[in-house]
Each structure stands twice: as C-alpha cells, then as structure tokens.
Amino acid sequence: MAGEGQTFEYRLQRLPLGVVMLDRDRRIRAASGAVQNFLGAGAGEIFGVDILDLHPPQARAKVGWLIASAGESPLGASIIVATRMGNLLARAIALATGGGPEDPATVLMFFMLGDLAAPPEPEAEPGPFLVKLPIQKGMGDVTALIDIDEVAALSAQGHYAEALTLDFTAFCPRSLATLEARLDPALFVRVHRRHIVNLSHVRAAERLDGAWFLRMADKAATKIPVGRRQVERLRKLLAF
C-alpha cells in the first residue's frame, strides 16, 4: 500500500513500465509486480477483476475504447492521458491465442512519458508544409509516418500532440505550436487553443448550450470544441 499522503499522480510518475494481461471479458489474468504495488493490491487481489472496475466512472468509456480497439491494427491502439505531473501513454495490443476464453487476449502497457517540463523544441520555420506526420503507435522507438492528408485533427497533450485520423488516434512527439507552423493554413485551422482541425474532414457544425463544436468524419464522430474567437472565422470558411 502506498504511503499515506502520496497522491495517485505522485505514485503514477514513479511507476515503472506497467503490464496487464486481460482475458476476453476484460478480466485481469496477469499483472506485473509494479502494477500490483501501484494499486496497493495484495497477492492475487486484482486477478479475475474487470479492469474497468478499477477506474473511476468518467474514465471507463475511454479505457473500454482502448481495449476494444486493440485488434484493429497489428500495432494495437494507444491513448495519452494528461495529468498535472506528466503525460501517461497507454497501449493495448491484441494477442493471438489458440486456447480457451480465459486465456489472455489483450495486453495493456503504460508508462509516463515524462514531466511537463519537456525540453523545448527548436522553433519551426514557416514552410515548407509538412507532407508526413510522425506518430508512435507501437512499442519501442519506431516512429511511423502518415500522410498529412490523413490527419483529421491534432490536439494538445501537454508538450506533445495527439493525432486523430479517420481510423485511429496516435501519439505525435511534436508540440501543437510546432506543428501549426508547418501546416497548410488553407486546410488546417486552429479552432481552439488545444485543437487544430483539417477542414476537409469536418462532417458537421453543432451548437450545444451556446457553444459550437465540429463533428469530425472519423469512426467515432469525434466532437471538437470551437473557441469563441474562432466562431466567426469558421462561419466564413464553412458557411454554417
């Protein structure tokens, strides 16, 4: 059990690589010792438990999506959770098994990407515009490159960014400001202090409780907020 007075985020920052194996019903079948110590669980206490039950209600939908998306790509799926002490990268990868329903079907790996005081990136000079975007979807140091036209939106995650495409989301090891300086402003528009959207992938504009949102064309129809100062500009660009 963690010492009294140590916050969840304090312990999270000091957590080594965490590994959890789940069966087809999301029940925990194996976990690294670091995960058990982090949760304050005694031997075997978390085994057989639905992993969603270990998360607060507001986080369960996101964790459930991560696990459900693990099999959509050989590289799995990933999400980034921004905390006050740093960014947590979580990856889920589907396992090929030939056994019964209780055999591990998904492996979850998570670790801190570092604190928010990341080393500053060199300032990007305007142009030439990016034709590829660097992303990290798998484990290790491999950086994949995707066509910039595939990017539907970019969202700030601490000092880095999260890229949304029509099929998946992935971690981008560049800041939103650095990316903005290298994107074609005719297509990529900063609609909010934390979001840039590709206008060619906007499906609809919605107003809810006096605020505007853009619905993107990805599978989840992701909703991106529009800052008040950007509404008039977007009205002219999208004619809504």
Side-chain angles (χ1 to χ4, degrees):
M1 181 70 72
E4 194 172 333
Q6 292 184 359
T7 66
F8 179 89
E9 290 183 343
Y10 177 91
R11 288 180 285 134
L12 182 61
Q13 190 184 40
R14 286 152 180 79
L15 177 69
L17 173 66
V19 180
V20 178
M21 286 188 168
L22 308 176
D23 65 15
R24 301 181 192 282
D25 295 319
R26 298 192 307 253
R27 294 174 298 188
I28 298 173
R29 291 300 170 193
S32 63
V35 171
Q36 295 188 64
N37 291 336
F38 170 70
L39 294 174
E45 285 184 12
I46 61 174
F47 299 142
V49 175
D50 186 329
I51 194 168
L52 296 191
D53 291 340
L54 301 178
H55 290 79
Q58 63 270 24
R60 291 174 185 170
K62 195 168 188 178
V63 176
W65 172 87
L66 176 67
I67 296 169
S69 302
E72 294 182 2
S73 165
L75 297 177
S78 63
I79 59 173
I80 301 171
V81 180
T83 77
R84 288 173 296 176
M85 298 188 71
N87 293 323
L88 172 70
L89 176 62
R91 290 193 176 102
I93 299 175
L95 302 176
T97 64
E102 293 191 355
D103 283 356
T106 305
V107 60
L108 294 178
M109 292 163 282
F110 49 92
F111 52 90
M112 296 300 296
L113 293 172
D115 60 289
L116 293 178
E121 298 179 44
E123 290 189 13
E125 297 180 2
F129 298 138
L130 291 175
V131 295
K132 295 282 187 177
L133 184 78
I135 61 169
Q136 294 178 353
K137 287 194 66 187
M139 296 300 294
D141 296 326
V142 176
T143 298
L145 297 171
I146 59 173
D147 291 338
I148 199 66
D149 292 342
E150 294 181 33
V151 179
L154 292 160
S155 299
Q157 294 284 358
H159 282 276
Y160 304 101
E162 182 180 65
L164 170 72
T165 74
L166 299 185
D167 300 310
F168 60 83
T169 59
F171 170 70
C172 176
R174 298 290 183 270
S175 70
L176 202 62
T178 298
L179 293 171
E180 184 177 21
R182 297 289 307 280
L183 295 171
D184 184 352
L187 283 178
F188 289 89
V189 176
R190 176 80 76 116
V191 299
H192 184 277
R193 63 183 178 83
R194 294 190 62 248
H195 303 285
I196 295 173
V197 301
N198 182 343
L199 297 180
S200 63
H201 291 308
V202 175
R203 175 182 292 170
E206 300 179 10
R207 191 172 187 180
L208 179 64
D209 297 329
W212 281 96
F213 298 87
L214 297 179
R215 284 281 183 183
M216 307 309 294
D218 60 305
K219 293 178 179 179
T222 300
K223 187 167 62 174
I224 302 290
V226 177
R228 292 182 180 179
R229 296 181 180 179
Q230 300 300 325
V231 171
E232 288 306 314
R233 180 186 181 196
L234 285 171
R235 282 183 182 275
K236 294 176 182 178
L237 290 172
L238 301 177
F240 64 84

